[in-house]
Amino acid sequence: MVRPHGGDASAARAENAKAPQIPDFGRRLRELFAPYRRPLAITVSLVLITAALTVLPPLLTEQAFDQGLFPAGGPNLPRLAEIVGAMVLVWVVSQVLGVWQTWLTANVGNGVTASLRERLFTRLQQMELGFFTRTRTGVIQSRLANDVGGVANVLSNTVSSVVGNTVTVIAAFVAMLLLSPPLTLVAVILLPLLALVQRRVGQRRARIATKTQESLSELSAITQEALSVSGILLAKSFTRQQQETDRYAAESDRQLRLQVRQEMTGQGFFASVQVFLLIVPALVYLAAGALLAGGATGITAGTIVAFTTVQARLTWPLMGLLRVALDLQTSSALFARIFEYLDLKPAITDAPGARAVPQDERLGRVEFEHVGFSYPAARPEEEPVPILRDVSFVAEPGRTVALVGPSGAGKTTIGYLVPRLYDATEGVVRFAGIDVKDLQQDALRGAIGIVSQETYLFHATIRENLRYAEPEATDDEIEAAARGANIHGTIAGFPDGYDTVVGERGYRLSGGEKQRVAIARVLLKNPPVVMLDEATSALDSVSERVVQQALEAASSGRTTIAIAHRLSTIVDADEILVLDQGRVVERGTHQQLLRLDGLYARLAAQQSAERDAEEPQPA
Ligand code: ATP
C-alpha cells in the first residue's frame, strides 16, 4: 500500500537513528529542578536521617540482649521495655519519614514533568501555521504524552535512589578503608572499568530509546489519522480497514521488538556486575593471603570477615546506582526529543516594540504593496516555488474586495498573509496603515474575523463553540449572533437547542450549518475586517442563499476580503481581483470585468452555462 507520508516516516527514522545530542544537558536539568531546591534539600536531609536511623536497630538489639534480657543480675524488664519502646519509635519514625520523602519526590518528579509538558504546549502554541502543515498531529501528541510521560518515572525515582544509595556506598567505603586500605584498593580497582562499560551500555540504550520513542510517535500518528472521523470515513469508503489494521499491527510489532531490546540491553552487563561483585570477596581472600605471606601486619581473620561482610552490603546499592545512571542515560533520549521541541524557534513573532492596532480612521484598511510569497520548500535542498507575485491592492474601510481565479491561483494564500499566518516574502502587507510585521500579532488577529474553507468546531455544545469567539458574551448576544448568521432557527429546532453537543469536529452538523455557526462566531467577535474564504462553495443553491445572507450580515459595515469560486456571490464587490498563477491579471467591478472580456468573463460564462445545465428545464 502506497501512503503519501510513508517516505517521510522512514526518512525521519533514518535521520534520527543517531545518538541524541543535547547541548548543555546538565545545565538544563539543573534549571528544571531549580524551583524545587527546598523540597530537594528536605529530601536529602530525610534520606540522611533515615540512613542514620538504620544504624540504631542493631545497637538497640545488642542493648536488649546485654542490658534487658541477660544482664548480670537477671532480666531487667523496665530497661527492656525502654529499649523495645525505642525500637518501635525508630521504625515508626523511619516509616513516617519514608512516606514524607516519597511525597516530596513525587511532587518534584511530577512537578518537573508538568512544567515540561506545559512549556512544550506553550511553545507549540507559539509555532507558526506552517509548522503544523509540516508535522503530523499524532507525532506532536506523542512528544507531549509519551516522551514527557517517559521521563516522569525516572525523575521521581532518581532523587531518593541516588541519595540513599550514595550514602550507603560512601559509608561502606569508609568502613572498608578503616579496616584495611590495601584490601580496599583491591576491592575498588576494577570499579572504573564498570563505569566505562556502563557508559557504553547507556549510550546503546539511549539509541534504542530514540527509536522506541519514534515508533511510539508513529503509532500515535497512525491512531490519530486512522481513528479520527475523517480517517475512519476514508478507510471505510475505500474499504481500507484491513490495511489500516495491518499498518498499525506492523508498527506495534516494531514497538514490541524495540521495547524488548531496550529492556534486554544492559541485562548482560548487570549479570556480569553481579558476578564481579560476588567474586571480589574471593579475590580479597587471595589478596589478603598474598599480603600475609609477604609479611603484612594488621590483617587478622576478624579484619577479613568484617571487610567481606561490609563489601557484600555494597552490592545492591552499587547496582542501584548503576541502574539509575543507566536510566538517566536512557532518558536523555527522551529529554533530547523534548528539548528539540522546546528549542523550536517560531518563524513568526512580535517585532521588538510591536504596536497595537491604531483605533483611528485607518482601522479596517488592508493594503498589499508588491507582495510576493513562496511557501517554505519541503526539503532544504529544494528551491521554494513562488506562489504570489507582485500583488497590490487596497481594501478601504467598509469596502469589499473579492478574489477570484482558477484553483491554486493563490487566493487562500493572500488571505493567510493579512493575519500573519504566513509572512510575505516580498513587499509589504499593511493593516490600518501599518506593516503587519510591526503590529502585535494578538491585536492584529483580534481585528480580523476568518470564515475559512473548513469550519473547525470543538467537541462541545454549540453555545461553548460560539462563546469561544467572545468568552464574555451573554446568552442574548449569542442568540443575536446566531440570528444574524441565519442559524438560530436551526439551533432552536434541536432538542437540546444551544446545548447540543456538536460532536467531534462538528460532524453532527451539516456543512451549511457548520459554516453558519462559524459566521455567527465572527459576528460575536465583531472585528473591523472579515475574510470569507469560499464559504459557499460546497452548498446547493438554497443553502447557499441562506449562507449568503449570513455572509452579508458578517460583511456589513466591515472591510471584507471575499474569496469565492461562485461569481454570483461577489457581483456587488467594490473591486474584484482576478488571480492567475499568483498574479493579479485583471481588476475592476463585475461589469467592468465582463466588458474586458478576459479571464473573468470566461469564468462567468462558464459558470452561467453550468448553472443553466443544473437547473431543471421547464416541461
Ligand atoms: P482553491 O481555489 O483551489 O482553494 P487557491 O487559489 O485558494 O485555490 P491556494 O490555496 O492559495 O490556492 O494555493 C496556491 C498554491 O500554493 C497551490 O499551488 C498550492 O499547491 C500551494 N500551497 C498551498 N498551501 C501550501 C503549503 N502549506 N505548502 C506548500 N504549498 C502550498
Side-chain angles (χ1 to χ4, degrees):
M1 179 176 168
V2 180
R3 302 199 64 93
H5 44 249
D8 289 359
S10 50
R13 267 178 219 165
E15 183 209 8
N16 283 313
K18 55 186 191 265
Q21 298 291 323
I22 318 169
D24 298 333
F25 184 43
R27 181 185 59 79
R28 300 187 75 162
L29 266 189
R30 277 198 302 281
E31 212 178 84
L32 274 175
F33 280 95
Y36 298 97
R37 276 201 203 101
R38 227 176 89 92
L40 279 176
I42 301 176
T43 307
V44 172
S45 320
L46 289 180
V47 174
L48 293 176
I49 295 171
T50 321
L53 284 180
T54 54
V55 178
L56 291 180
L59 299 180
L60 288 171
T61 310
E62 186 200 26
Q63 290 190 3
F65 275 82
D66 296 350
Q67 298 171 17
L69 289 165
F70 307 108
N76 179 348
L77 274 185
R79 178 71 190 131
L80 190 59
E82 268 174 31
I83 296 167
V84 170
M87 279 175 154
V88 171
L89 192 68
V90 167
W91 286 122
V92 169
V93 169
S94 30
Q95 286 312 308
V96 170
L97 294 185
V99 172
W100 186 8
Q101 182 203 316
T102 311
W103 181 78
L104 286 169
T105 49
N107 270 300
V108 174
N110 291 306
V112 170
T113 312
S115 121
L116 275 176
R117 198 164 40 215
E118 286 155 28
R119 284 197 212 182
L120 211 54
F121 191 84
T122 310
R123 175 42 48 97
L124 286 164
Q125 282 282 335
Q126 293 161 343
M127 291 307 291
E128 71 282 0
L129 184 67
F131 171 81
F132 297 92
T133 66
R134 294 190 300 269
T135 319
R136 293 158 78 194
T137 314
V139 167
I140 297 176
Q141 286 169 347
S142 183
R143 298 239 174 172
L144 275 164
N146 298 326
D147 295 327
V148 174
V151 296
N153 291 336
V154 179
L155 290 181
S156 319
N157 296 335
T158 303
V159 183
S160 52
S161 170
V162 167
V163 180
N165 288 330
T166 309
V167 169
T168 322
V169 168
I170 290 174
F173 272 131
V174 172
M176 281 156 67
L177 266 177
L178 289 176
L179 285 166
S180 166
L183 290 181
T184 308
L185 191 67
V186 173
V188 302
I189 202 152
L190 288 176
L191 285 185
L193 187 71
L194 285 188
L196 212 68
V197 178
Q198 185 273 335
R199 240 180 91 82
R200 300 207 59 139
V201 174
Q203 283 164 350
R204 178 132 47 94
R205 266 251 207 133
R207 272 199 299 274
I208 301 172
T210 307
K211 290 188 191 163
T212 312
Q213 295 307 109
E214 273 163 16
S215 165
L216 272 179
S217 70
E218 181 66 20
L219 275 177
S220 156
I222 298 175
T223 310
Q224 197 271 331
E225 282 163 8
L227 296 184
S228 61
V229 178
S230 318
I232 208 85
L233 208 61
L234 188 72
K236 281 189 191 293
S237 57
F238 285 91
T239 55
R240 301 298 263 185
Q241 285 123 307
Q242 189 54 51
Q243 281 84 348
E244 289 299 335
T245 311
D246 291 346
R247 185 158 78 109
Y248 189 82
E251 194 57 47
S252 168
D253 201 45
R254 178 166 178 259
Q255 173 66 209
L256 160 80
R257 278 180 277 119
L258 283 167
Q259 288 281 10
V260 171
R261 246 176 80 194
Q262 189 175 321
E263 276 173 40
M264 288 314 291
T265 303
Q267 292 308 321
F269 166 68
F270 282 118
S272 323
V273 171
Q274 213 164 333
V275 169
F276 168 74
L277 291 174
L278 291 173
I279 59 171
V280 168
L283 294 180
V284 167
Y285 295 142
L286 207 62
L291 286 171
L292 287 171
T297 54
I299 299 179
T300 63
T303 314
I304 296 171
V305 172
F307 190 92
T308 46
T309 312
V310 176
Q311 202 184 22
R313 287 225 192 113
L314 206 65
T315 310
W316 294 115
L318 214 51
M319 294 280 283
L321 282 180
L322 285 174
R323 271 187 203 282
V324 169
L326 198 64
D327 280 351
L328 272 179
Q329 266 181 298
T330 314
S331 71
S332 72
L334 278 64
F335 274 114
R337 287 168 58 84
I338 296 169
F339 287 144
E340 186 192 357
Y341 265 33
L342 284 178
D343 292 346
L344 287 171
K345 296 267 176 292
I348 296 175
T349 49
D350 277 0
R355 306 174 47 178
V357 174
Q359 303 292 315
D360 54 24
E361 72 289 347
R362 292 172 298 174
L363 183 63
R365 193 173 197 271
V366 176
E367 182 183 356
F368 274 53
E369 192 181 291
H370 303 297
V371 169
F373 178 75
S374 334
Y375 285 103
R379 290 183 190 77
E381 66 275 13
E382 285 173 8
E383 280 290 305
V385 186
I387 298 292
L388 294 178
R389 296 162 228 240
D390 198 20
V391 174
S392 297
F393 71 89
V394 179
E396 294 292 352
R399 295 305 185 103
T400 297
V401 170
L403 306 173
V404 299
S407 181
K411 306 180 291 291
T412 305
T413 308
I414 289 186
Y416 284 157
L417 302 186
V418 184
R420 286 193 81 196
L421 296 175
Y422 288 90
D423 270 342
T425 36
E426 281 166 44
V428 189
V429 177
R430 291 198 185 86
F431 189 90
I434 295 169
D435 187 339
V436 287
K437 292 180 187 169
D438 295 328
L439 288 172
Q440 294 158 359
Q441 292 176 78
D442 283 356
L444 171 68
R445 293 185 192 133
I448 301 173
I450 303 175
V451 178
S452 57
Q453 292 189 16
E454 221 189 303
T455 301
Y456 188 91
L457 298 177
F458 292 104
H459 191 134
T461 63
I462 295 178
R463 195 190 308 282
E464 284 160 341
N465 268 291
L466 288 173
R467 204 165 262 148
Y468 191 76
E470 180 52 60
E472 306 297 322
T474 62
D475 285 352
D476 286 344
E477 284 165 339
I478 287 177
E479 198 181 304
R483 279 184 201 281
N486 252 342
I487 185 74
H488 171 73
T490 316
I491 299 174
F494 292 148
D496 292 331
Y498 282 85
D499 294 319
T500 305
V501 176
V502 298
E504 186 66 17
R505 305 197 70 179
Y507 273 90
R508 279 178 56 185
L509 297 182
S510 77
E513 287 162 357
K514 259 195 289 185
Q515 276 181 354
R516 281 178 282 151
V517 171
I519 294 168
R521 214 154 47 179
V522 169
L523 289 178
L524 261 180
K525 185 177 177 183
N526 195 18
V529 173
V530 290
M531 317 232 304
L532 312 172
D533 190 351
E534 262 178 1
T536 56
S537 64
L539 305 174
D540 62 48
S541 42
V542 177
S543 318
E544 187 188 321
R545 259 195 302 281
V546 179
V547 173
Q548 191 55 37
Q549 284 165 0
L551 287 173
E552 278 160 19
S555 61
S556 149
R558 301 174 226 271
T559 312
T560 306
I561 296 180
I563 303 168
H565 270 151
R566 301 207 183 191
L567 305 187
S568 57
T569 60
I570 45 101
V571 285
D572 294 331
D574 298 294
E575 187 177 33
I576 300 170
L577 304 181
V578 185
L579 274 133
D580 193 17
Q581 297 183 16
R583 285 182 195 280
V584 179
V585 290
E586 292 169 11
R587 64 172 74 213
T589 61
H590 176 68
Q591 290 304 333
Q592 287 168 340
L593 288 172
L594 284 183
R595 279 198 295 276
L596 246 172
D597 202 18
L599 178 58
Y600 184 83
R602 278 203 303 283
L603 286 172
Q606 201 180 333
Q607 289 198 359
S608 84
E610 280 167 12
R611 285 223 149 184
D612 290 347
E614 271 171 28
E615 272 171 24
Q617 299 298 314

